[in-house]
Amino acid sequence: MSIKAEDVAKLAGVSKTTVSRVLNKRGYLSEKTIKKVYDAMEELNYRPNVIARQLLHQETKLIGLIFPTVTSPFFAQLIQSIEKKLFDNGYRVLIGDSRNDKKIEREYLQELLNHQVDGLIVGSHNQGIEEYNTPNLPIVAIDRRLNDDIPIVLSDNYQGGMIATELLIEKGAKKIIHTNDPASLVGPPQNQERKRAYVDSMIEHGLTPIVYSIDYDLPDSKKDNIIKKIFKDHPDVDGMFISNDSDAGRVLNIASDLGYKIPQDLKVIGYDGAYQTRVMVPYLTTIVQPIDKMADAAVNMLIKRLNDSTYGKNKMFPVSLWNGKTV
């Protein structure tokens, strides 16, 4: 019968994750725990699998990716670009779609650690997951703060929010509404900087900020209901700055159904500007994040952190405007 890590864990009275940590020598473990695991391995005549043996002596050439969704055009392009860049550098990837669920994210993270990944690139939204504090595990974050020791690659969200709001005002909009992720979902998220810029710009121009929260992972019907409520609450709205291009597309469809003419009655600006969106909806005016540059920077930083865990500091890229026909 083949002896597995689960058998070692059971005999030693520890978790499979603890056995994995003993094998890869990551994280704090007491000498007593380490001895229990090795004693169990010896009694069962257990030999680590190929991946584990590799990790004891060299890297596995596996990188874990954890993102809140793979359906968003922004994250889809980002993941594809990261995967290509890693492949070109001799690495393979394991991807976890956390669906904005802290429990799912933690399970994916533990599974990736069990697969002995050399490092992680993380764009997930959830905070307070202790596994991200694993010593000697190189991690780079995308647009999210995980802890003070993990560098972040991001675009200038405040700049993007300011460009969008100022353009709407310049084009004559006065009743401008902004949608964003719920602050409680992702706090403290970088995209709340878009909201801050919007509020600052509106106040500076003597206008009243109005913000609605739309969770990206809500069912389509609930998103549509929130957008319809916006129009019901504010039928005189003449400008909207939407937190992502997918929701911006919904706004355009619902506004059209309600009889608004774009951009004469209502001006709309989205956010992200992924390649797929600009091909499918080229007429949408949107703020473009430099997705491929962000992916390159994250991979380059992670590869350097594989050799020096202290390497890397936050890197921010400027955004740009895609001039469509909705403003």
Side-chain angles (χ1 to χ4, degrees), residues 14 67 227:
V14 299
F67 286 92
I227 294 170

Side-chain angles (χ1 to χ4, degrees), residues 133-280:
N133 297 318
T134 300
N136 302 319
L137 177 64
I139 303 176
V140 173
I142 301 283
D143 214 32
R144 296 289 182 271
R145 180 186 177 277
L146 297 177
N147 66 45
D148 292 337
D149 298 323
I150 297 175
I152 308 169
V153 174
L154 70 162
S155 66
D156 192 336
N157 288 278
Y158 188 87
Q159 176 201 22
M162 190 61 69
I163 290 173
T165 311
E166 290 288 326
L167 179 59
L168 288 168
I169 295 172
E170 177 188 325
K171 294 297 184 177
K174 297 185 182 301
K175 185 72 172 286
I176 303 171
I177 293 174
H178 174 52
T179 68
N180 209 319
D181 293 323
S184 60
L185 172 68
V186 294
Q190 294 300 328
N191 68 354
Q192 292 297 317
E193 288 293 286
R194 304 172 196 173
K195 173 184 172 182
R196 187 169 72 87
Y198 158 78
V199 171
D200 288 349
S201 178
M202 292 288 283
I203 291 175
E204 182 178 343
H205 287 274
L207 302 174
T208 302
I210 304 171
V211 179
Y212 280 75
S213 294
I214 302 179
D215 185 340
Y216 188 86
D217 292 305
L218 283 175
D220 293 346
S221 60
K222 290 190 176 181
K223 289 184 182 181
D224 289 345
N225 287 338
I226 294 174
I227 294 170
K228 289 175 182 177
K229 185 177 188 303
I230 293 174
F231 285 111
K232 182 178 180 181
D233 292 346
H234 307 279
D236 58 340
V237 58
D238 57 3
M240 296 185 74
F241 167 33
I242 309 301
S243 59
N244 63 75
D245 292 335
S246 297
D247 286 350
R250 291 180 180 281
V251 167
L252 292 175
N253 290 333
I254 292 173
S256 178
D257 290 342
L258 292 173
Y260 291 84
K261 294 180 180 179
I262 309 294
Q264 294 90 337
D265 302 329
L266 177 67
K267 306 179 193 312
V268 178
I269 297 181
Y271 208 101
D272 287 336
Y275 175 76
Q276 179 184 352
T277 302
R278 286 183 280 128
V279 169
M280 299 295 291

Side-chain angles (χ1 to χ4, degrees), residues 26-79:
R26 286 180 178 156
Y28 172 78
L29 293 167
S30 68
E31 289 298 322
K32 180 180 178 181
T33 297
I34 294 172
K35 184 176 186 302
K36 283 165 59 178
V37 171
Y38 276 110
D39 285 349
M41 289 171 58
E42 183 175 353
E43 182 175 336
L44 295 171
N45 195 29
Y46 173 77
R47 295 292 179 268
N49 61 25
V50 174
I51 292 178
R53 286 200 302 270
Q54 283 180 328
L55 190 60
L56 290 172
H57 304 289
Q58 60 187 14
E59 55 189 3
T60 65
K61 291 294 185 180
L62 286 174
I63 300 296
L65 309 181
I66 301 180
F67 286 92
T69 178
V70 296
T71 61
S72 154
F74 170 77
F75 284 116
Q77 181 178 336
L78 182 63
I79 292 168

